[in-house]
Amino acid sequence: MRVSPFKGALGASTGRPRATIRTKATTRVVAAFAAVAVVGALGACSAEGGDDSFGPDSAHDGAVAPQDWRQAPVDDQEEYDDSPEQSFQDVTTSPLSTFASDVDTASYSNLRRQLRSGMAPDGVRIEELVNYFDYDYPSPEPSAADPFTVTTQISDAPWAPDHQLAMIGVQATAEKSTSRGNNIVFLLDVSGSMNAPDKLPLLADSFALLVDQLDEDDTVSIVTYAGSDEVLADSVSGDHHGELVRILRGLQAGGSTGGAQGLQTAYELAARNFVEGGNNRVVLATDGDFNVGPSTPEQLTELIEDHARSGVYISVLGFGMGNLKDNTMEAIADHGNGNYAYIDTIDEARKVLVDEFESTMFVVAQDLKVQVEFNPATVAEYRLLGYDNRRLEDEEFADDAKDAGDVGAGHSVTAFYELVPARGDSTKDDLDYQDVEAGGSSDFLTVHVRYKHPGATASTEVVFPAGAGDYTDRPSTDFRFASAVVEFGLAVTGSQDAEGADPARARERAQAALGKDPYGLRSEFVGLIGTYEQMAG
């Protein structure tokens, strides 16, 4: 049984500093978004006023009244990673594709915030859009040797009828690897940049939800930082909910942002209260705008890498808009053996910190890497859709010193490949399909997964082939919905190799593949596509 109806709250991704760069698709719609935002501003809508609910009952096929749109901040200084998308690879020369797992969802909730605020999408990572949603993959049996299953399905690509899509799903067990308690340090940014309704007040409400999940077996410390850091709670029992919530409600914002010293103090507290075999974690909440001391992604990741090796993980929660440093928070989570989510609403906080509590806190597979070997008899070219800053060199797959993403209890990881079917001459290589005549084998690909059991230093490899039976012209509901998410992501990012990607078609396919959707998340996505169409139209 799964720990939660949601999957993929948090995960690890790589970030590199850059000035914000708008994609081709973004450039096309900036003027339209700006115009509608101005209309919203003239309609006397403020960031605090109006009903900005956007659940399934308020989507109305994506139509949103102008007064519900907010003008983007004039002093927009948001920063995102600029990893290029992968182009098509020739199987005869590049038969392997390797990437690190990623269960982050920050990009989806950030995209939602941008669309609701009348802003053109930026910083969109396709894999985080896909991994935001729950898919009905089979879970491993309790007695299984490996803590996950792998599911594959192949069908035609909606935006390129002569191409195919391969969906790979990794489903982690919901069984926790430990029954020991939580040793958690809340590291909270209270600098002046957090002085906004969608920052510090939302942060306090969000962490109050997390506190309610803790009990007497857990230990909580609270560190705040602005110009300097301050310890507000040290080793408080997790069942002292009233004391911890009073501290959270009393937070006030002001001063510069010296996050590096706060990180150092938080790790020291986590090390002092270390629970052998338990969950030892720093939970950092910030807009990522560090401006005192070490502040670049490179400087901060160098600071935390040594601490990550000690067994103390990190979760990063992003808040706010206007000066969001998405690239910095990604880098911290990645190099700190951690995960990253963006909190735009209290409902998102509940999803991440309540519904996905155990998958966020308890790792069941460390450094999980995926390597896909393509059969040149059936696949001529391929490209990985998303995971642009998670790609690895092929030789890094077997390198146990190479860090990769960790997967929590109940998490799932989904990836899509776009395939160009093989037509033509035979080919040879020194891999599994080296002597296969083109067109003579029914295998599409083989999925290799390498991971470490929690605390282990050596990795284990498991192999899952995808044969002719994995192709269908009637794909599952999950495949149809997830492929719609991918198509929307390709359209929004202006993919040069998917110019046929169409938001309208993605919306229609997603609407027809809602499934049970008990929490309305898929319906919400359909509404968001409609909002994008309205703004870009």
Side-chain angles (χ1 to χ4, degrees):
M1 181 177 294
R2 296 181 186 176
V3 69
S4 161
F6 300 107
K7 293 292 178 286
L10 301 169
S13 293
T14 307
R16 293 194 298 273
R18 72 172 180 95
T20 301
I21 298 178
R22 298 194 181 277
T23 64
K24 179 173 64 177
T26 302
T27 302
R28 289 198 298 264
V29 301
V30 164
F33 274 77
V36 175
V38 169
V39 171
L42 293 176
C45 177
S46 70
E48 293 77 27
D51 179 7
D52 65 349
S53 61
F54 205 91
D57 294 332
S58 60
H60 301 300
D61 296 325
V64 177
Q67 63 265 27
D68 286 336
W69 286 84
R70 298 168 176 80
Q71 187 171 4
V74 176
D75 60 341
D76 188 350
Q77 299 177 14
E78 298 185 3
E79 294 179 4
Y80 299 94
D81 184 21
D82 187 33
S83 298
E85 70 172 342
Q86 184 178 62
S87 59
F88 280 101
Q89 307 296 302
D90 189 329
V91 175
T92 60
T93 56
S94 302
L96 299 176
S97 172
T98 309
F99 64 95
S101 66
D102 186 1
V103 291
D104 283 3
T105 58
S107 186
Y108 179 85
S109 47
N110 188 39
L111 170 68
R112 179 175 59 201
R113 181 266 301 182
Q114 291 171 334
L115 291 175
R116 288 178 175 179
S117 302
M119 298 170 62
D122 203 353
V124 175
R125 295 182 288 274
I126 291 175
E127 72 277 10
E128 296 186 23
L129 306 190
V130 173
N131 284 324
Y132 185 84
F133 298 96
D134 175 39
Y135 305 107
D136 191 23
Y137 300 133
S139 296
E141 296 295 330
S143 59
D146 303 304
F148 56 83
T149 61
V150 173
T151 301
T152 54
Q153 188 172 144
I154 300 168
S155 192
D156 297 327
W159 57 87
D162 57 338
H163 291 184
Q164 296 166 335
L165 280 182
M167 179 181 183
I168 300 171
V170 179
Q171 176 64 59
T173 178
E175 300 294 326
K176 296 187 297 184
S177 58
T178 178
S179 60
R180 303 295 300 275
N182 297 288
N183 163 34
I184 306 178
V185 180
F186 298 170
L187 178 57
L188 311 178
D189 183 352
V190 295
S191 63
S193 67
M194 294 292 289
N195 188 21
D198 60 346
K199 294 188 179 183
L200 195 56
L202 179 57
L203 182 158
D205 291 341
S206 300
F207 276 80
L209 293 176
L210 175 54
V211 165
D212 284 341
Q213 307 307 303
L214 306 177
D215 58 31
E216 66 275 5
D217 294 328
D218 304 315
T219 299
V220 180
S221 301
I222 300 178
V223 179
T224 60
Y225 67 90
S228 60
D229 61 289
E230 182 179 2
V231 178
L232 300 185
D234 184 355
S235 311
V236 175
S237 177
D239 61 348
H240 290 188
H241 295 172
E243 176 184 351
L244 294 169
V245 171
R246 279 194 297 274
I247 294 173
L248 294 170
R249 300 296 187 202
L251 297 176
Q252 294 183 342
S256 55
T257 314
Q261 184 56 48
L263 279 167
Q264 183 67 35
T265 300
Y267 275 113
E268 289 173 358
L269 280 172
R272 191 166 71 218
N273 299 313
F274 194 87
V275 176
E276 195 66 40
N279 169 50
N280 299 278
R281 185 175 297 268
V282 172
V283 183
L284 167 63
T286 178
D287 58 12
D289 188 16
F290 298 166
N291 53 36
V292 174
S295 58
T296 68
E298 290 83 359
Q299 291 171 325
L300 291 168
T301 56
E302 183 178 352
L303 173 68
I304 68 175
E305 280 179 340
D306 288 340
H307 294 292
R309 299 186 189 99
S310 71
V312 177
Y313 298 167
I314 190 167
S315 294
V316 182
L317 304 179
F319 289 83
M321 59 189 294
N323 62 340
L324 184 73
K325 301 300 184 285
D326 178 85
N327 57 342
T328 299
M329 290 183 284
E330 258 202 308
I332 291 173
D334 180 33
H335 292 266
N337 279 352
N339 35 54
Y340 170 39
Y342 176 79
I343 307 299
D344 59 332
T345 65
I346 194 63
D347 287 337
E348 185 67 16
R350 185 173 294 106
K351 175 180 183 291
V352 171
L353 298 174
V354 178
D355 298 310
E356 299 171 348
F357 175 78
E358 292 192 352
S359 58
T360 297
M361 296 295 172
F362 294 96
V363 172
V364 297
Q366 290 182 280
D367 291 339
L368 192 145
K369 307 170 190 173
V370 177
Q371 185 169 81
V372 180
E373 177 190 342
F374 293 92
N375 180 3
T378 53
V379 181
E381 298 177 69
Y382 67 88
R383 70 175 182 132
L384 176 61
L385 303 177
Y387 294 89
D388 296 325
N389 57 11
R390 302 295 287 156
R391 294 193 296 270
L392 300 174
E393 299 296 330
D394 293 337
E395 59 271 18
E396 291 177 327
F397 179 70
D399 181 3
D400 286 345
K402 179 62 179 179
D403 189 38
D406 297 336
V407 178
H411 266 158
S412 64
V413 180
T414 300
F416 276 88
Y417 282 91
E418 184 175 353
L419 311 178
V420 179
R423 298 179 180 86
D425 299 331
S426 63
T427 183
K428 292 186 177 183
D429 55 42
D430 59 355
L431 299 166
D432 288 350
Y433 308 112
Q434 58 180 339
D435 297 322
V436 176
E437 289 285 330
S441 170
S442 61
D443 282 358
F444 284 93
L445 52 88
T446 296
V447 181
H448 301 255
V449 179
R450 186 175 286 274
Y451 73 99
K452 298 173 186 173
H453 290 282
T457 56
S459 64
T460 300
E461 181 178 347
V462 288
V463 180
F464 305 86
D470 288 308
Y471 175 83
T472 178
D473 59 0
R474 294 183 177 181
S476 67
T477 298
D478 281 345
F479 185 103
R480 288 183 286 123
F481 181 84
S483 66
V485 177
V486 171
E487 182 169 11
F488 179 64
L490 291 170
V492 168
T493 58
S495 172
Q496 296 184 0
D497 287 310
E499 294 185 355
D502 181 4
R505 182 175 52 225
R507 173 173 48 79
E508 293 172 359
R509 193 161 71 260
Q511 179 66 61
L514 295 179
K516 295 180 180 179
D517 196 26
Y519 297 93
L521 297 178
R522 293 189 179 192
S523 296
E524 177 190 66
F525 174 68
V526 172
L528 289 179
I529 300 179
T531 297
Y532 175 85
E533 290 179 288
Q534 182 186 38
M535 295 301 94

